[in-house]
Amino acid sequence: MTDKSINGWEVIPSQSDKRLLVKVVPGTNVKLRARAEVLPLLLAIAADFNNEVAPLRNGECGAWCYRKARQGGGAFSDHSSGTAMDLNWGHEGAMGPKGGMVRMNAAQIAACAEIKKRYQIVIWGGDKAKGGDYKDPSSWDPMHYALKSGITVADINKVLAELKIDKNGVRPGAGTKK
């Protein structure tokens, strides 16, 4: 039996697995390693975060990581399948009620919620009352974006085509702060 992450994608146990690619987030020098089919989507989201929420910080952003979920009853994290990323974990992103939801200002929180809405097939670890997907303050994780459960490669390709995102995560019209 193949291990699956929380969102249902097959876990990738090694960073040298050929299903993973590494690319630079457009407009930054930050690199992300993720599942090849998902990487353009994550790169575009990260570029939007960089432009609309806060500049990405090298050494504080990542996607694939083989590990169990911190809050998932022993399940593998979506990071283990290369279908999730964390952005600026030392600043805007710390987990829990005293973490990023407190550190971010109202405009940053609203921008994170807009990014989630723009990309349709992702969850955002922010406060559900403010457009995120996490209700319990102990699990708020505003640095976290991941594919929703049940999303397929066809769903990803549809969003990439609708938003005209290229294989490097470049989205026309992106790049300006709001």
Side-chain angles (χ1 to χ4, degrees):
M1 185 175 151
T2 305
D3 289 321
K4 303 278 185 179
S5 62
I6 293 170
N7 63 12
W9 284 68
E10 186 177 332
V11 168
I12 300 173
S14 170
Q15 71 176 358
S16 62
D17 191 295
K18 291 181 180 161
R19 293 173 289 180
L20 296 172
L21 292 178
V22 178
K23 290 193 177 186
V24 175
V25 175
T28 76
N29 61 356
V30 173
K31 292 180 183 179
L32 293 177
R33 178 188 313 273
R35 182 179 289 273
E37 307 96 307
V38 180
L39 186 56
L41 180 77
L42 295 181
L43 291 169
I45 293 169
D48 285 356
F49 187 99
N50 180 69
N51 293 322
E52 299 170 23
V53 179
L56 294 181
R57 296 169 177 268
N58 236 335
E60 292 189 22
C61 300
W64 175 87
C65 179
Y66 181 70
R67 65 174 174 80
K68 297 285 182 139
R70 291 187 177 93
Q71 297 182 346
F76 277 96
S77 166
D78 293 335
H79 294 282
S80 293
S81 61
T83 60
M85 69 179 165
D86 291 338
L87 304 171
N88 291 357
W89 54 65
H91 290 80
E92 289 79 28
M95 218 173 151
K98 295 184 179 182
M101 293 304 295
V102 174
R103 293 181 188 169
M104 288 181 167
N105 64 42
Q108 288 174 307
I109 291 168
C112 286
E114 276 301 310
I115 291 169
K116 173 202 161 190
K117 186 176 173 184
R118 179 179 305 136
Y119 290 94
Q120 313 158 38
I121 59 174
V122 297
I123 62 165
W124 169 54
D127 180 355
K128 192 166 189 75
K130 296 179 180 177
D133 290 284
Y134 294 4
K135 187 174 181 179
D136 180 359
S138 70
S139 66
W140 287 343
D141 197 5
M143 66 183 161
H144 184 77
Y145 287 89
L147 288 182
K148 292 179 181 177
S149 292
I151 296 301
T152 66
V153 172
D155 297 326
I156 295 166
N157 289 337
K158 181 180 176 191
V159 170
L160 294 175
E162 286 173 357
L163 296 175
K164 298 178 174 66
I165 298 167
D166 73 14
K167 65 181 180 169
N168 295 312
V170 175
R171 181 178 62 81
T176 55
K177 290 192 182 221
K178 291 186 178 183

